[in-house]
mmCIF file with all atom_site columns, all heavy atoms in Angstrom:
data_model
loop_
_atom_site.group_PDB
_atom_site.id
_atom_site.type_symbol
_atom_site.label_atom_id
_atom_site.label_alt_id
_atom_site.label_comp_id
_atom_site.label_asym_id
_atom_site.label_entity_id
_atom_site.label_seq_id
_atom_site.pdbx_PDB_ins_code
_atom_site.Cartn_x
_atom_site.Cartn_y
_atom_site.Cartn_z
_atom_site.occupancy
_atom_site.B_iso_or_equiv
_atom_site.pdbx_formal_charge
_atom_site.auth_seq_id
_atom_site.auth_comp_id
_atom_site.auth_asym_id
_atom_site.auth_atom_id
_atom_site.pdbx_PDB_model_num
ATOM   1  N  N   . HIS Q 1 17  ? 3.748  0.770   0.023   1.00 98.00 ? 39  HIS Q N   1
ATOM   2  C  CA  . HIS Q 1 17  ? 2.932  -0.302  -0.580  1.00 98.00 ? 39  HIS Q CA  1
ATOM   3  C  C   . HIS Q 1 17  ? 2.642  0.049   -2.045  1.00 98.00 ? 39  HIS Q C   1
ATOM   4  O  O   . HIS Q 1 17  ? 1.728  0.818   -2.343  1.00 98.00 ? 39  HIS Q O   1
ATOM   5  C  CB  . HIS Q 1 17  ? 1.620  -0.482  0.196   1.00 98.00 ? 39  HIS Q CB  1
ATOM   6  C  CG  . HIS Q 1 17  ? 0.864  -1.702  -0.211  1.00 98.00 ? 39  HIS Q CG  1
ATOM   7  N  ND1 . HIS Q 1 17  ? 0.438  -2.653  0.681   1.00 98.00 ? 39  HIS Q ND1 1
ATOM   8  C  CD2 . HIS Q 1 17  ? 0.454  -2.145  -1.436  1.00 98.00 ? 39  HIS Q CD2 1
ATOM   9  C  CE1 . HIS Q 1 17  ? -0.197 -3.617  0.040   1.00 98.00 ? 39  HIS Q CE1 1
ATOM   10 N  NE2 . HIS Q 1 17  ? -0.205 -3.321  -1.250  1.00 98.00 ? 39  HIS Q NE2 1
ATOM   11 N  N   . HIS Q 1 19  ? 2.475  -1.474  -6.231  1.00 98.00 ? 41  HIS Q N   1
ATOM   12 C  CA  . HIS Q 1 19  ? 2.536  -2.512  -7.266  1.00 98.00 ? 41  HIS Q CA  1
ATOM   13 C  C   . HIS Q 1 19  ? 3.042  -1.847  -8.541  1.00 98.00 ? 41  HIS Q C   1
ATOM   14 O  O   . HIS Q 1 19  ? 2.392  -0.922  -9.050  1.00 98.00 ? 41  HIS Q O   1
ATOM   15 C  CB  . HIS Q 1 19  ? 1.150  -3.106  -7.537  1.00 98.00 ? 41  HIS Q CB  1
ATOM   16 C  CG  . HIS Q 1 19  ? 0.546  -3.752  -6.323  1.00 98.00 ? 41  HIS Q CG  1
ATOM   17 N  ND1 . HIS Q 1 19  ? 0.704  -5.091  -6.043  1.00 98.00 ? 41  HIS Q ND1 1
ATOM   18 C  CD2 . HIS Q 1 19  ? -0.199 -3.240  -5.309  1.00 98.00 ? 41  HIS Q CD2 1
ATOM   19 C  CE1 . HIS Q 1 19  ? 0.075  -5.376  -4.901  1.00 98.00 ? 41  HIS Q CE1 1
ATOM   20 N  NE2 . HIS Q 1 19  ? -0.476 -4.267  -4.436  1.00 98.00 ? 41  HIS Q NE2 1
ATOM   21 N  N   . MET Q 1 43  ? 5.571  -4.560  -4.098  1.00 98.00 ? 65  MET Q N   1
ATOM   22 C  CA  . MET Q 1 43  ? 4.845  -5.795  -3.813  1.00 98.00 ? 65  MET Q CA  1
ATOM   23 C  C   . MET Q 1 43  ? 5.251  -6.895  -4.795  1.00 98.00 ? 65  MET Q C   1
ATOM   24 O  O   . MET Q 1 43  ? 5.550  -6.624  -5.961  1.00 98.00 ? 65  MET Q O   1
ATOM   25 C  CB  . MET Q 1 43  ? 3.329  -5.549  -3.868  1.00 98.00 ? 65  MET Q CB  1
ATOM   26 C  CG  . MET Q 1 43  ? 2.844  -4.635  -2.767  1.00 98.00 ? 65  MET Q CG  1
ATOM   27 S  SD  . MET Q 1 43  ? 3.157  -5.345  -1.125  1.00 98.00 ? 65  MET Q SD  1
ATOM   28 C  CE  . MET Q 1 43  ? 4.100  -4.030  -0.366  1.00 98.00 ? 65  MET Q CE  1
ATOM   29 N  N   . LYS Q 1 103 ? 5.638  -10.853 2.329   1.00 98.00 ? 125 LYS Q N   1
ATOM   30 C  CA  . LYS Q 1 103 ? 4.189  -10.597 2.235   1.00 98.00 ? 125 LYS Q CA  1
ATOM   31 C  C   . LYS Q 1 103 ? 3.386  -11.879 2.334   1.00 98.00 ? 125 LYS Q C   1
ATOM   32 O  O   . LYS Q 1 103 ? 3.669  -12.860 1.651   1.00 98.00 ? 125 LYS Q O   1
ATOM   33 C  CB  . LYS Q 1 103 ? 3.916  -9.902  0.885   1.00 98.00 ? 125 LYS Q CB  1
ATOM   34 C  CG  . LYS Q 1 103 ? 2.462  -9.567  0.600   1.00 98.00 ? 125 LYS Q CG  1
ATOM   35 C  CD  . LYS Q 1 103 ? 2.040  -8.237  1.177   1.00 98.00 ? 125 LYS Q CD  1
ATOM   36 C  CE  . LYS Q 1 103 ? 0.549  -8.008  1.072   1.00 98.00 ? 125 LYS Q CE  1
ATOM   37 N  NZ  . LYS Q 1 103 ? 0.179  -7.026  0.079   1.00 98.00 ? 125 LYS Q NZ  1
ATOM   38 N  N   . TYR Q 1 105 ? -0.087 -13.288 1.548   1.00 98.00 ? 127 TYR Q N   1
ATOM   39 C  CA  . TYR Q 1 105 ? -1.387 -13.199 0.882   1.00 98.00 ? 127 TYR Q CA  1
ATOM   40 C  C   . TYR Q 1 105 ? -2.195 -14.438 1.240   1.00 98.00 ? 127 TYR Q C   1
ATOM   41 O  O   . TYR Q 1 105 ? -1.775 -15.550 0.879   1.00 98.00 ? 127 TYR Q O   1
ATOM   42 C  CB  . TYR Q 1 105 ? -1.230 -13.188 -0.650  1.00 98.00 ? 127 TYR Q CB  1
ATOM   43 C  CG  . TYR Q 1 105 ? -0.660 -11.917 -1.223  1.00 98.00 ? 127 TYR Q CG  1
ATOM   44 C  CD1 . TYR Q 1 105 ? 0.663  -11.851 -1.634  1.00 98.00 ? 127 TYR Q CD1 1
ATOM   45 C  CD2 . TYR Q 1 105 ? -1.456 -10.791 -1.383  1.00 98.00 ? 127 TYR Q CD2 1
ATOM   46 C  CE1 . TYR Q 1 105 ? 1.192  -10.682 -2.169  1.00 98.00 ? 127 TYR Q CE1 1
ATOM   47 C  CE2 . TYR Q 1 105 ? -0.936 -9.616  -1.927  1.00 98.00 ? 127 TYR Q CE2 1
ATOM   48 C  CZ  . TYR Q 1 105 ? 0.380  -9.579  -2.314  1.00 98.00 ? 127 TYR Q CZ  1
ATOM   49 O  OH  . TYR Q 1 105 ? 0.896  -8.429  -2.850  1.00 98.00 ? 127 TYR Q OH  1
ATOM   50 N  N   . HIS Q 1 178 ? -3.133 -1.731  4.012   1.00 98.00 ? 200 HIS Q N   1
ATOM   51 C  CA  . HIS Q 1 178 ? -4.350 -1.079  3.486   1.00 98.00 ? 200 HIS Q CA  1
ATOM   52 C  C   . HIS Q 1 178 ? -5.591 -1.357  4.335   1.00 98.00 ? 200 HIS Q C   1
ATOM   53 O  O   . HIS Q 1 178 ? -6.559 -1.954  3.867   1.00 98.00 ? 200 HIS Q O   1
ATOM   54 C  CB  . HIS Q 1 178 ? -4.606 -1.459  2.022   1.00 98.00 ? 200 HIS Q CB  1
ATOM   55 C  CG  . HIS Q 1 178 ? -4.382 -2.903  1.656   1.00 98.00 ? 200 HIS Q CG  1
ATOM   56 N  ND1 . HIS Q 1 178 ? -4.979 -3.935  2.327   1.00 98.00 ? 200 HIS Q ND1 1
ATOM   57 C  CD2 . HIS Q 1 178 ? -3.623 -3.474  0.681   1.00 98.00 ? 200 HIS Q CD2 1
ATOM   58 C  CE1 . HIS Q 1 178 ? -4.604 -5.074  1.780   1.00 98.00 ? 200 HIS Q CE1 1
ATOM   59 N  NE2 . HIS Q 1 178 ? -3.783 -4.823  0.785   1.00 98.00 ? 200 HIS Q NE2 1
ATOM   60 N  N   . ASP Q 1 252 ? -0.974 1.579   -2.118  1.00 98.00 ? 274 ASP Q N   1
ATOM   61 C  CA  . ASP Q 1 252 ? -1.527 0.413   -2.821  1.00 98.00 ? 274 ASP Q CA  1
ATOM   62 C  C   . ASP Q 1 252 ? -1.862 0.753   -4.273  1.00 98.00 ? 274 ASP Q C   1
ATOM   63 O  O   . ASP Q 1 252 ? -2.856 0.275   -4.813  1.00 98.00 ? 274 ASP Q O   1
ATOM   64 C  CB  . ASP Q 1 252 ? -2.759 -0.166  -2.109  1.00 98.00 ? 274 ASP Q CB  1
ATOM   65 C  CG  . ASP Q 1 252 ? -3.030 -1.598  -2.541  1.00 98.00 ? 274 ASP Q CG  1
ATOM   66 O  OD1 . ASP Q 1 252 ? -2.165 -2.214  -3.200  1.00 98.00 ? 274 ASP Q OD1 1
ATOM   67 O  OD2 . ASP Q 1 252 ? -4.123 -2.111  -2.239  1.00 98.00 ? 274 ASP Q OD2 1
ATOM   68 N  N   . ALA Q 1 254 ? -2.152 0.230   -7.847  1.00 98.00 ? 276 ALA Q N   1
ATOM   69 C  CA  . ALA Q 1 254 ? -2.237 -1.115  -8.442  1.00 98.00 ? 276 ALA Q CA  1
ATOM   70 C  C   . ALA Q 1 254 ? -2.780 -1.020  -9.869  1.00 98.00 ? 276 ALA Q C   1
ATOM   71 O  O   . ALA Q 1 254 ? -3.983 -1.156  -10.099 1.00 98.00 ? 276 ALA Q O   1
ATOM   72 C  CB  . ALA Q 1 254 ? -3.135 -1.996  -7.580  1.00 98.00 ? 276 ALA Q CB  1
HETATM 73 ZN ZN1 . ZN  K 2 .   ? -1.491 -4.149  -2.627  1.00 55.26 ? 27  ZN  K ZN1 1
#
Side-chain angles (χ1 to χ4, degrees):
H39 190 127
H41 299 268
M65 293 298 124
K125 179 86 189 253
Y127 288 103
H200 42 54
D274 199 12

